[in-house]
């Protein structure tokens, strides 16, 4: 579902910015490529569920927070 993937990315970006964390810092914390963080936030790729849990852990939030959006 392309719409959900885009909404997920927008929500991730919103949360990351609210926490005052750069894409570079999130990439460092998660050990994911900076370009991958950007592609997730733009909704270009459908990231794995394991990456969702990793990102949530490194942002100190619940994974469900990343899915708190309307489709």
């Amino acid at each position: 579902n392309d719409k959900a993937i885009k909404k997920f990315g927008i929500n991730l970006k919103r949360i990351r910015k609210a926490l005052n964390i750069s894409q570079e810092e999130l990439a460092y914390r998660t050990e994911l490529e900076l370009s991958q963080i950007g592609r997730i936030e733009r909704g270009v790729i459908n990231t794995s569920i394991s990456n969702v849990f990793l990102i949530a852990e490194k942002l100190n939030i619940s994974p469900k927070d990343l899915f708190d959006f309307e489709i």
Side-chain angles (χ1 to χ4, degrees):
N1 186 325
D2 290 342
K3 191 173 183 180
I5 294 167
K6 288 197 181 295
K7 292 275 189 161
F8 178 88
I10 290 167
N11 195 44
L12 169 57
K13 184 177 182 177
R14 179 189 61 77
I15 292 169
R16 178 182 58 74
K17 286 188 166 199
L19 295 171
N20 200 30
I21 297 171
S22 67
Q23 283 187 341
E24 291 84 358
E25 177 62 22
L26 183 56
Y28 174 77
R29 290 182 185 189
T30 59
E31 298 182 357
L32 298 173
E33 294 291 328
L34 174 59
S35 61
Q36 185 172 357
I37 300 294
R39 288 191 305 270
I40 294 168
E41 288 189 355
R42 291 190 312 277
V44 174
I45 61 170
N46 184 3
T47 194
S48 69
I49 198 72
S50 58
N51 282 344
V52 170
F53 277 83
L54 174 63
I55 290 167
E57 176 188 344
K58 299 306 180 179
L59 291 176
N60 296 313
I61 62 172
S62 171
K64 72 178 184 175
D65 294 335
L66 293 169
F67 291 98
D68 188 17
F69 57 86
E70 299 291 322
I71 296 179

